[in-house]
Amino acid sequence: MDAARRANGGDSQFVLTIVGDNAVAELIRHDPDLENADIGAELPWSIARSKTKEFFSEFLSTFILLCFGEGTVAQNVLSGSGDTINIGFGWGIGVMMGIYVGGKSGAHMNPAVTLACCIFRGFKWKKLPIYVLAQVLGAMSATAVVYLNYKTAIDIHEGGPDIRTIPGISKTGTAGIYSTYAQPFLSSGQQFFSEFLATALLIFCLFALLDHRNLGINRQLLPLGMFFVIFGIAVAFGWETGFAINPARDFGPRAVASMLGYSVDIWTVHHNYAWVPIIAPLIGGSFGALMYDIFIYTGESPINTPWFGLRKPKQTGWSSSQV
Amino acid sequence: MDAARRANGGDSQFVLTIVGDNAVAELIRHDPDLENADIGAELPWSIARSKTKEFFSEFLSTFILLCFGEGTVAQNVLSGSGDTINIGFGWGIGVMMGIYVGGKSGAHMNPAVTLACCIFRGFKWKKLPIYVLAQVLGAMSATAVVYLNYKTAIDIHEGGPDIRTIPGISKTGTAGIYSTYAQPFLSSGQQFFSEFLATALLIFCLFALLDHRNLGINRQLLPLGMFFVIFGIAVAFGWETGFAINPARDFGPRAVASMLGYSVDIWTVHHNYAWVPIIAPLIGGSFGALMYDIFIYTGESPINTPWFGLRKPKQTGWSSSQV
Amino acid sequence: MDAARRANGGDSQFVLTIVGDNAVAELIRHDPDLENADIGAELPWSIARSKTKEFFSEFLSTFILLCFGEGTVAQNVLSGSGDTINIGFGWGIGVMMGIYVGGKSGAHMNPAVTLACCIFRGFKWKKLPIYVLAQVLGAMSATAVVYLNYKTAIDIHEGGPDIRTIPGISKTGTAGIYSTYAQPFLSSGQQFFSEFLATALLIFCLFALLDHRNLGINRQLLPLGMFFVIFGIAVAFGWETGFAINPARDFGPRAVASMLGYSVDIWTVHHNYAWVPIIAPLIGGSFGALMYDIFIYTGESPINTPWFGLRKPKQTGWSSSQV
Amino acid sequence: MDAARRANGGDSQFVLTIVGDNAVAELIRHDPDLENADIGAELPWSIARSKTKEFFSEFLSTFILLCFGEGTVAQNVLSGSGDTINIGFGWGIGVMMGIYVGGKSGAHMNPAVTLACCIFRGFKWKKLPIYVLAQVLGAMSATAVVYLNYKTAIDIHEGGPDIRTIPGISKTGTAGIYSTYAQPFLSSGQQFFSEFLATALLIFCLFALLDHRNLGINRQLLPLGMFFVIFGIAVAFGWETGFAINPARDFGPRAVASMLGYSVDIWTVHHNYAWVPIIAPLIGGSFGALMYDIFIYTGESPINTPWFGLRKPKQTGWSSSQV
C-alpha cells in the first residue's frame, strides 16, 4: 500500500519510495511529467475528485470487497450449495480487488487496519473518521446492491417478500448474507476471543507482509498475499463467528438489514453479538500489531522509542509510507 | 494488454511503454533487430498472417476461453459431479490462457470489453466490428469442438442422439453446456440486473488492474489477476444467470446449439432470456468503466475532458496504449 | 525452460538469454566465476553427473510429477473422498514442481512436449530417445514408490493382497491409480479425440506462454502458468479419458502395474484403450504446436520458412533456446 | 530464505546476495543508512530483541504455521464440514505466512528442515538446538491458543468438558486437531514410509526451489511455491498419517494435549505411532536433500567434496546463504 505515500503528499515525488523489484520502475513512474500528471487536472471535476480521492478510494474499495464477499454468502445460502472454500474465495478475492481499486488511499477497507496504522505506523489520526465513514458507507452501499441483485431469490428462500429472518432462529434465515452471526453455543467471551484472535492474525500477517526489513512482499504481490491471509482465516477461524474481523464490514450491512425489514433481533441475538465484531477487531487488530512490533519490527514504531510510545514521541520522524 | 501497442503500430518501438518491473527488460525487448523482428517476415504466409493477426488473435483467444469454459460446464453436467469451484477454475483459467494467447490483439475476448475500450480508452471504433466478429466466430468454433468431444456422453445423458433439451425444462437438459440459462424464478428485470452488475464489476476491476496511476498490476500478473476476477464473479454472482458477462460467449454458442438440434426454445425460454446476456453486459460493462473513470481515473478518458466526452474531444491526445 | 540453453552449451554464457524481468539479474548470474561455476567440478562424481545431467533431470522431474499425480489419485480412490479439484491440484502441482526440479533439461516430462519441440523449435532429434527413456523410467519409478506407500491400503480396498482389479470392470478397481482408463461408453474415436484435444490445448498454451513475441510469461511464473493449464484440462477435459496427455505418464505406470499383478486386461480393456494415450498425445500435441505456429508465432519455426519445413531448412539458424 | 544471510552477519552488507529479479533492488536495500538501520537500535529493548531475534523469528513463524494449520483441522472436525482441500489451504497458507513472518531466521519452522540445512547447506550445528526449541515452543503456544478458541465447541463435540478422546478410538475424538494419527490399518513400517516419503518430497522440492543453479524461484515467490508443495503433499500423501512431516509440529501439540486432559493413549495408540512423526521426517527430509545433492546440485554441499562429506571438508568454503 505504498500508493498511500503518493496519495498523501506531493513532496514524495522524488523520493525512492519502493523497496523490492519495483525500485527501478518507480524512478520512472515518479517523473511528474510522464505518468503521474493527471489528465485534465485543471477541470472542475478533476479538482473535486482530487480533493475527495481518499474518501472515494476507501468507499469504492470497501464497496468492491463487500460485493464479492456478500455476493458469495448470498449465493451459498440461496442456491443451497457451496461451502467454506467458496467463502474463502469470495472474501479473499474481495480483499484482493479492493486493494487494486483503493490504491490511492492505501485500501484499508477496515477500521481495525486504520486504527492499527494510526497507533503503530504514524497514520494521521485526523484521517481516521473520514476513512471509517467511507468504509461504513461503502459497505452499506454494497449491501443494497447485493440485496437488489438477490431480492427475488431471497423472497423465495424466506417464503415471501415480507418475511426476513435470522439464521439460528429460523431455518430459512437470510440475515447472514449481510452480517455475521455467531454459533449459538458460544459465550460472549468465546465470541470475543474468536474475533480478537482472527483480527490479530490478520494484522500480524499484514504487518509482516509489509515489513521490508523482514522478508517483505513486493507491491505487485501484496494483493495475492492478502488473498491468502483472508482465505486462511476463513478455513481456520471462520466457523464460530463468521470471521467479521472488520467493524465496517459487519456494522454497515447490519444497519442496512435493519432498514430492509429484518427484526431488531439482528442486534440482540446471541447475547448481543452484534457489538462483538465492532469491538473485538479493533482491540485484536491493534494487539496483533503490538505483538509484531514488540518481537519483530525494527522500523519506525512507538515500540522503538524510549518510552514505547507511552510518552509522546517526536512525530516528525514518522511517516505513513510503510502502509 | 500493453502488447496491443506493440501490435498496433511500429512507431512505438522506441517508446518506454511498460510501467512496473518490466521497464528495464522492455528497453531490451524493443530492440527491433533482436526480439521483435519477425522471422521470415518477407514470406507470403507471414505477410498474410501479419495483416490478419488481430483477427486471429481475438479468434484464438476467445476459442481457448470457450474450450476451457464450456468444457468445464460439460464435464460438470455430464459426469454429474463438480460444483461452482470447478466452474470458477474453468472459466478463470480460460480467461487467463486466452490473455496469453491473444496478446497481439489485447485479448479482449468480449464485445463488452471492446465497447468499453472504444468509449473510454480511445480504442478505434473501426476495429469494433472486426473484434466482435472474431470473438463470436471463436466462440462458435470452440462450441463445435467441445460438442464433438462430448457427443457420445451427451447422447447418453439426454437419452439418445436425437434428443437435445434445455435445463429448467428438462431434467437431462444439456443446452447449458454452451450458453447460460437463467434461474426460472427471475423476472426479466432481475435477469438484466444480474448480468449488468456482474459485467460492471468485471470492467471496473479490469480498469483498476490496468490503471498504473492506481496500484496497477504488472503485465506478467494481469492474467492471474483476471483469473481471480472471473473466479470471484463465479462464486458471488454466478448462480442466477450463469454469469455470461460476454455477448460473444453467450450468443455464438447459442447459435451453434440451434444448428445442433436444440429447439428454438433456447432463444425464448425464461422470458426471452437469450437477449439479456447480449444487451446487459454491453451496458453494464460500460457503466462499470464510467464509474471507474468518474471516481478514480486520472488518465486519458472522455471523463477527463471539458465536456465529459459529450462534446467531441481532440482525438489526437488519446491512445489505445492502456488496454 | 530457458535453463535448457544454459544446460546445453557453455557457449551461451555471455549471451543475454532471458527476456522479461530477469534480464538484469541474468547478466549477473552468468558471471561464470560467481554463480554458474560448479563446486567441485573436477571431482569424479561431478564429472559423471555433468555428463548425465539431462537424463537425471528428466528422470527426476517426471518422477516428481508422477509422485504428486499418482499419489493424489491413490488418495482419492483409497480414502473414498476427494474429487476433480484434488486431481487438478495434484497433477498441477506435480507439473509445477517437476519444472522446478528439471530446469537443467527443460523439464519436458512428456514425450509429446519433446516431439513438438523437435519438430517446431529445433530441439535436437538425437536427444529425443534419451528424453523419452528418462521420462518413462521416471514414471515407472514413481509408480513403484506410490505403490509401496499405499500397498496396505490397496490390499484393504481390493479385498486382499492378491486381488488387483480394474475400474469399470470391478467396483474396487485400483488400476486407475497408475494409468488412465476411459469411460466405458466411449468409442475408440471419441477416446482418441479427447486425448488429442486435451494435448493440443496443452501444447498450444505452453507455446503461447513461452512466446515472448506474444504476451509471454517470465521464467519465474512459468511453473505457475503450467499449473493452471493442467488444472484447466483436469476440470474441462479430465472425465472422459482421465487426461493422460502424456505417453510416458501413462505407459510407464501401466507397465509397472503389469508387473504388480494386475491382469493383462489393463492393456486391452475398452477397445485396447491403452494405446490411445500413447498415440493421441503425440499427434495432438504436435497439432496444437502447428496451429500456434501457423496462426500466431513469428519466431523461428519451420512454418516461418519458405517451404513450411517440408523442404529441409537451414538448421544453423535454429536454436533450442525458446524451450 | 536469503534473509538468513542478512540475519547471520553484518559482514554481508555489501555483498550482492540475491539472485533473480531482486538484484537491483537489493543493492539499494543493503545501504545500511537507509533501509537496514534499525530504528532506536540503541534502546534496551531493541538490543534485547536483536540478540534473540532468531529465536523469536522461529517461534513466531512456527506459531503462525500452527495457528492456521490446527485451526483448519479444528474447524473441519468441529463443524463437521470441510475436506482435504480445506486442509491443504490451511497448512499451505500457514507455511506461506510463516515464511513471511520468520524471514529473520530463515523460517525453517521444522527440525527436519534445520537438520537438512546443517548436514547439506553448512547451517551452523550450534544453532540447531535453539531452532528446535523455538519451533517446539511455538507449536505448543499455538496449540494452547487454538484450544482456547475452540474450547466450547470441543466440549460440545466430545459430549462434555471432561471428555477428551482420540480419533480412531472414539467417534467424537478431537485429539487429531493438534497432532496427527495414522489410519488404523497401517503397520509401523507403512507409517514410517509414508512420513519418510512425504518429508523427502518436501525437502527435495524445497532444495530445488532454492537452487539458483537450477531454475530457482525468486525470493518473492518462494512462499507461494512452498504453499503449493504443502498443498501437493496434503492431497497426495495426507490421508495415511496426516502428513506431519515435521517433528515440532507433531510433538509440541501432542505434549500440550497431554496437559489438556487427553489420555496417555495419544502416545501409544496405533503401535506407538507418536514417535513416527518425530523420527521419520528427520531421516526422510535428509534423505530427500541427499538425493537432490547427489543427482542435481552443483553448489556447495558435502556431496560436492572429495569424500562426499564423509571426511571433514574445509568448512571455510561453506555458507548458509542458500537457505
Side-chain angles (χ1 to χ4, degrees):
Chain A
M1 307 180 183
D2 304 278
R5 178 181 290 192
R6 269 187 291 149
N8 291 342
D11 56 340
S12 65
Q13 288 284 17
F14 298 98
V15 180
L16 186 74
T17 55
I18 309 300
V19 285
D21 63 347
N22 292 309
V24 173
E26 203 59 23
L27 283 170
I28 295 154
R29 195 183 306 176
H30 270 190
D31 177 354
D33 295 330
L34 180 60
E35 275 289 317
N36 266 348
D38 289 357
I39 302 297
E42 75 291 350
L43 300 172
W45 177 246
S46 294
I47 292 166
R49 183 175 53 201
S50 173
K51 288 187 176 158
T52 54
K53 71 180 167 188
E54 285 184 82
F55 178 86
F56 279 112
S57 177
E58 278 303 302
F59 177 89
L60 286 167
S61 61
T62 315
F63 178 86
I64 290 292
L65 164 60
L66 271 279
C67 277
F68 282 110
E70 293 189 324
T72 304
V73 183
Q75 182 165 314
N76 272 16
V77 168
L78 301 170
S79 74
S81 68
D83 55 19
T84 311
I85 299 297
N86 296 50
I87 300 297
F89 272 108
W91 287 101
I93 292 170
V95 165
M96 190 186 205
M97 290 303 140
I99 295 174
Y100 282 115
V101 166
K104 294 187 179 182
S105 64
H108 293 190
M109 299 178 278
N110 184 345
V113 172
T114 306
L115 179 64
C117 289
C118 284
I119 298 175
F120 294 100
R121 290 293 178 273
F123 192 77
K124 290 181 185 163
W125 283 96
K126 72 175 179 187
K127 288 187 178 180
L128 180 68
I130 301 166
Y131 268 56
V132 172
L133 182 68
Q135 290 156 2
V136 172
L137 291 178
M140 294 177 77
S141 304
T143 304
V145 167
V146 170
Y147 181 77
L148 272 175
N149 186 64
Y150 282 112
K151 171 141 195 342
T152 305
I154 292 169
D155 290 350
I156 292 168
H157 192 82
E158 290 271 20
D162 299 330
I163 309 172
R164 293 292 182 266
T165 61
I166 299 170
I169 296 179
S170 151
K171 285 187 179 175
T172 59
T174 56
I177 292 173
Y178 323 109
S179 292
T180 62
Y181 291 84
Q183 295 293 333
F185 54 76
L186 291 178
S187 67
S188 290
Q190 286 267 279
Q191 290 170 0
F192 182 90
F193 190 79
S194 181
E195 286 293 315
F196 176 94
L197 173 60
T199 318
L201 286 170
L202 171 73
I203 306 285
F204 190 90
C205 289
L206 172 63
F207 274 29
L209 291 174
L210 291 170
D211 181 2
H212 291 288
R213 285 173 170 85
N214 200 332
L215 192 68
I217 198 167
N218 75 27
R219 192 175 55 179
Q220 282 291 329
L221 289 172
L222 179 62
L224 186 62
M226 289 307 297
F227 165 82
F228 281 107
V229 173
I230 300 297
F231 206 113
I233 292 173
V235 293
F237 302 104
W239 170 61
E240 289 192 325
T241 56
F243 75 114
I245 60 173
N246 181 339
R249 169 259 178 281
D250 202 79
F251 172 78
R254 204 179 299 268
V256 173
S258 271
M259 305 172 202
L260 292 173
Y262 289 86
S263 82
V264 74
D265 291 349
I266 61 176
W267 300 96
T268 57
V269 73
H270 304 136
H271 321 294
N272 298 303
Y273 168 73
W275 303 102
V276 171
I278 298 171
I279 305 302
L282 292 172
I283 301 172
S286 290
F287 179 80
L290 178 67
M291 288 301 104
Y292 191 80
D293 281 12
I294 286 178
F295 290 109
I296 299 180
Y297 195 59
T298 61
E300 287 173 352
S301 160
I303 299 305
N304 297 326
T305 59
W307 294 92
F308 299 96
L310 299 177
R311 285 199 186 177
K312 192 173 170 53
K314 281 189 287 183
Q315 293 276 352
T316 347
W318 296 9
S319 83
S320 63
S321 64
Q322 296 287 342
V323 180
Chain B
M1 306 183 184
D2 303 278
R5 178 181 290 191
R6 269 185 293 148
N8 291 342
D11 57 342
S12 66
Q13 288 284 17
F14 299 96
V15 180
L16 186 75
T17 57
I18 309 300
V19 286
D21 64 346
N22 291 309
V24 173
E26 203 60 22
L27 282 170
I28 295 154
R29 195 183 307 175
H30 270 190
D31 177 352
D33 296 329
L34 180 60
E35 275 288 317
N36 266 347
D38 288 357
I39 302 298
E42 74 292 351
L43 299 171
W45 177 247
S46 294
I47 292 167
R49 184 175 54 201
S50 174
K51 288 186 177 159
T52 55
K53 71 180 168 189
E54 286 184 82
F55 178 87
F56 279 112
S57 178
E58 278 303 302
F59 177 90
L60 286 166
S61 61
T62 315
F63 178 87
I64 290 293
L65 164 60
L66 271 280
C67 276
F68 281 110
E70 292 190 325
T72 304
V73 183
Q75 182 164 314
N76 272 16
V77 167
L78 301 171
S79 74
S81 68
D83 55 18
T84 310
I85 299 298
N86 296 49
I87 300 296
F89 272 108
W91 287 101
I93 291 170
V95 165
M96 190 186 205
M97 290 303 140
I99 295 175
Y100 283 115
V101 165
K104 295 188 180 184
S105 63
H108 292 190
M109 299 179 279
N110 185 344
V113 172
T114 307
L115 179 65
C117 289
C118 285
I119 298 176
F120 295 100
R121 290 293 179 274
F123 192 77
K124 290 180 185 164
W125 283 96
K126 71 175 179 186
K127 288 188 178 181
L128 180 69
I130 301 165
Y131 268 56
V132 172
L133 182 67
Q135 290 155 2
V136 172
L137 292 177
M140 294 177 76
S141 304
T143 303
V145 168
V146 170
Y147 182 76
L148 272 175
N149 187 64
Y150 282 112
K151 170 140 196 343
T152 306
I154 291 169
D155 290 351
I156 292 169
H157 191 81
E158 291 272 20
D162 299 329
I163 310 172
R164 293 292 181 265
T165 60
I166 300 170
I169 296 179
S170 151
K171 284 187 180 175
T172 59
T174 55
I177 292 172
Y178 322 109
S179 291
T180 62
Y181 292 84
Q183 295 292 334
F185 54 77
L186 290 178
S187 67
S188 290
Q190 285 269 277
Q191 291 170 359
F192 182 90
F193 190 79
S194 181
E195 285 294 315
F196 176 94
L197 173 60
T199 319
L201 286 169
L202 171 72
I203 306 285
F204 191 90
C205 289
L206 172 63
F207 274 29
L209 290 173
L210 292 171
D211 181 3
H212 290 288
R213 286 174 169 83
N214 200 333
L215 193 68
I217 198 167
N218 74 27
R219 191 175 56 177
Q220 282 290 330
L221 290 172
L222 178 63
L224 186 61
M226 288 308 297
F227 166 82
F228 281 108
V229 173
I230 300 298
F231 206 112
I233 292 173
V235 293
F237 302 104
W239 171 61
E240 289 193 325
T241 57
F243 74 115
I245 59 173
N246 181 338
R249 169 259 178 280
D250 202 79
F251 172 79
R254 204 179 297 268
V256 173
S258 270
M259 305 172 203
L260 293 173
Y262 290 86
S263 82
V264 73
D265 291 349
I266 62 176
W267 299 96
T268 56
V269 74
H270 305 136
H271 321 295
N272 298 303
Y273 168 73
W275 303 102
V276 171
I278 297 172
I279 305 302
L282 292 172
I283 301 174
S286 290
F287 180 80
L290 178 68
M291 289 300 104
Y292 190 79
D293 282 12
I294 286 179
F295 290 109
I296 299 180
Y297 195 58
T298 60
E300 287 173 352
S301 160
I303 299 305
N304 296 326
T305 59
W307 294 93
F308 299 96
L310 299 178
R311 285 197 187 179
K312 195 173 168 52
K314 282 189 288 184
Q315 293 275 353
T316 347
W318 295 11
S319 85
S320 62
S321 64
Q322 298 286 341
V323 180
Chain C
M1 306 184 184
D2 302 279
R5 178 180 292 191
R6 269 186 294 149
N8 291 342
D11 55 343
S12 65
Q13 288 284 17
F14 299 97
V15 180
L16 186 75
T17 57
I18 309 300
V19 287
D21 63 345
N22 292 309
V24 171
E26 203 59 22
L27 282 170
I28 295 153
R29 196 183 306 175
H30 271 191
D31 177 352
D33 296 329
L34 180 59
E35 276 287 319
N36 266 347
D38 288 358
I39 302 298
E42 75 291 353
L43 300 171
W45 176 247
S46 294
I47 292 167
R49 184 174 53 201
S50 173
K51 288 186 177 160
T52 55
K53 72 180 167 189
E54 286 184 84
F55 178 86
F56 280 113
S57 178
E58 278 303 302
F59 177 90
L60 287 167
S61 61
T62 314
F63 178 87
I64 290 293
L65 163 60
L66 271 280
C67 277
F68 281 110
E70 292 190 325
T72 304
V73 183
Q75 182 164 312
N76 271 16
V77 167
L78 301 170
S79 74
S81 69
D83 55 19
T84 310
I85 299 298
N86 296 49
I87 300 297
F89 272 109
W91 287 101
I93 292 169
V95 165
M96 190 185 205
M97 289 304 139
I99 295 175
Y100 282 115
V101 165
K104 294 187 181 184
S105 64
H108 293 191
M109 299 179 279
N110 185 345
V113 172
T114 306
L115 178 65
C117 289
C118 285
I119 299 176
F120 294 101
R121 290 292 179 275
F123 192 77
K124 290 179 185 163
W125 284 97
K126 71 175 181 188
K127 288 188 178 180
L128 180 69
I130 302 165
Y131 268 57
V132 172
L133 182 67
Q135 290 156 3
V136 172
L137 292 177
M140 294 177 77
S141 305
T143 303
V145 168
V146 170
Y147 181 77
L148 273 176
N149 187 64
Y150 282 112
K151 170 140 196 343
T152 306
I154 291 170
D155 291 351
I156 291 169
H157 191 81
E158 290 272 20
D162 299 330
I163 310 172
R164 293 292 181 265
T165 59
I166 300 170
I169 296 177
S170 150
K171 284 187 181 176
T172 59
T174 55
I177 291 172
Y178 322 109
S179 291
T180 62
Y181 291 85
Q183 295 292 334
F185 54 77
L186 290 179
S187 67
S188 291
Q190 286 267 278
Q191 290 170 1
F192 182 90
F193 190 79
S194 181
E195 285 293 315
F196 176 93
L197 174 60
T199 319
L201 286 169
L202 171 73
I203 306 286
F204 191 89
C205 289
L206 172 63
F207 274 29
L209 291 173
L210 292 170
D211 181 3
H212 290 289
R213 286 175 169 83
N214 200 334
L215 192 68
I217 199 166
N218 74 27
R219 193 175 55 177
Q220 282 289 331
L221 290 172
L222 179 62
L224 186 62
M226 288 308 296
F227 165 82
F228 281 108
V229 173
I230 300 299
F231 206 112
I233 292 172
V235 293
F237 301 104
W239 170 62
E240 289 194 323
T241 57
F243 75 114
I245 60 173
N246 182 338
R249 170 258 178 280
D250 202 79
F251 172 79
R254 204 180 298 268
V256 173
S258 271
M259 306 172 201
L260 293 172
Y262 289 87
S263 82
V264 73
D265 291 348
I266 61 175
W267 299 97
T268 57
V269 75
H270 305 136
H271 322 293
N272 298 303
Y273 167 73
W275 303 101
V276 171
I278 298 172
I279 306 301
L282 292 173
I283 301 174
S286 290
F287 179 80
L290 178 68
M291 289 299 105
Y292 190 79
D293 281 12
I294 287 179
F295 290 110
I296 299 181
Y297 195 58
T298 60
E300 287 173 351
S301 161
I303 300 303
N304 297 326
T305 58
W307 293 93
F308 298 97
L310 299 177
R311 286 196 186 179
K312 194 172 170 51
K314 284 189 287 186
Q315 294 276 351
T316 348
W318 295 10
S319 85
S320 63
S321 63
Q322 298 286 339
V323 180
Chain D
M1 307 183 184
D2 303 277
R5 178 180 291 191
R6 269 185 293 148
N8 291 342
D11 56 342
S12 65
Q13 287 284 15
F14 297 98
V15 180
L16 186 74
T17 56
I18 310 299
V19 286
D21 63 346
N22 292 309
V24 172
E26 203 59 22
L27 282 170
I28 294 155
R29 195 183 306 176
H30 271 191
D31 176 353
D33 295 330
L34 181 59
E35 275 287 319
N36 265 348
D38 289 358
I39 302 298
E42 75 291 351
L43 300 171
W45 176 246
S46 295
I47 292 166
R49 183 174 53 200
S50 174
K51 288 185 177 160
T52 55
K53 71 180 167 189
E54 286 184 81
F55 178 85
F56 279 113
S57 178
E58 279 304 301
F59 177 90
L60 286 166
S61 60
T62 314
F63 178 86
I64 290 292
L65 164 60
L66 271 280
C67 277
F68 281 110
E70 292 190 325
T72 304
V73 183
Q75 181 164 314
N76 272 16
V77 168
L78 301 170
S79 74
S81 68
D83 55 19
T84 311
I85 299 298
N86 296 48
I87 300 296
F89 272 108
W91 287 101
I93 292 169
V95 165
M96 189 185 206
M97 289 304 139
I99 295 175
Y100 283 115
V101 165
K104 294 187 180 184
S105 64
H108 292 191
M109 298 179 278
N110 184 346
V113 171
T114 306
L115 179 65
C117 290
C118 284
I119 299 176
F120 294 100
R121 292 290 180 274
F123 192 77
K124 291 180 183 162
W125 284 96
K126 72 174 181 188
K127 289 188 177 180
L128 181 69
I130 303 166
Y131 268 57
V132 172
L133 182 68
Q135 290 156 3
V136 172
L137 292 178
M140 294 177 77
S141 305
T143 303
V145 168
V146 170
Y147 182 77
L148 272 175
N149 186 64
Y150 283 111
K151 171 141 196 341
T152 306
I154 292 169
D155 291 350
I156 291 169
H157 191 81
E158 290 272 20
D162 299 329
I163 310 172
R164 293 291 181 267
T165 60
I166 300 170
I169 297 178
S170 150
K171 285 189 179 173
T172 58
T174 55
I177 292 172
Y178 323 109
S179 292
T180 61
Y181 291 84
Q183 295 292 333
F185 55 77
L186 291 178
S187 67
S188 290
Q190 285 266 279
Q191 291 170 1
F192 182 89
F193 190 79
S194 181
E195 286 293 315
F196 176 93
L197 174 60
T199 319
L201 286 170
L202 170 73
I203 307 285
F204 191 89
C205 290
L206 172 63
F207 274 29
L209 290 174
L210 291 171
D211 180 3
H212 290 289
R213 286 174 170 82
N214 200 332
L215 192 69
I217 199 167
N218 75 27
R219 192 174 57 178
Q220 283 290 328
L221 289 172
L222 178 62
L224 186 63
M226 289 308 296
F227 165 82
F228 281 107
V229 173
I230 301 298
F231 206 113
I233 292 173
V235 293
F237 301 104
W239 171 62
E240 290 193 324
T241 56
F243 76 114
I245 61 174
N246 182 338
R249 169 259 179 280
D250 202 79
F251 172 79
R254 205 180 298 268
V256 174
S258 271
M259 306 172 200
L260 292 173
Y262 290 86
S263 82
V264 74
D265 291 348
I266 61 175
W267 300 96
T268 57
V269 73
H270 305 136
H271 321 293
N272 298 303
Y273 168 73
W275 303 101
V276 171
I278 297 172
I279 305 302
L282 291 172
I283 300 174
S286 289
F287 179 80
L290 178 67
M291 290 299 105
Y292 190 80
D293 281 12
I294 286 179
F295 291 109
I296 299 181
Y297 194 58
T298 60
E300 287 173 351
S301 160
I303 299 304
N304 297 325
T305 59
W307 293 93
F308 300 96
L310 299 177
R311 285 198 186 178
K312 192 173 170 54
K314 282 188 287 185
Q315 294 276 351
T316 347
W318 297 11
S319 85
S320 63
S321 63
Q322 298 287 341
V323 180

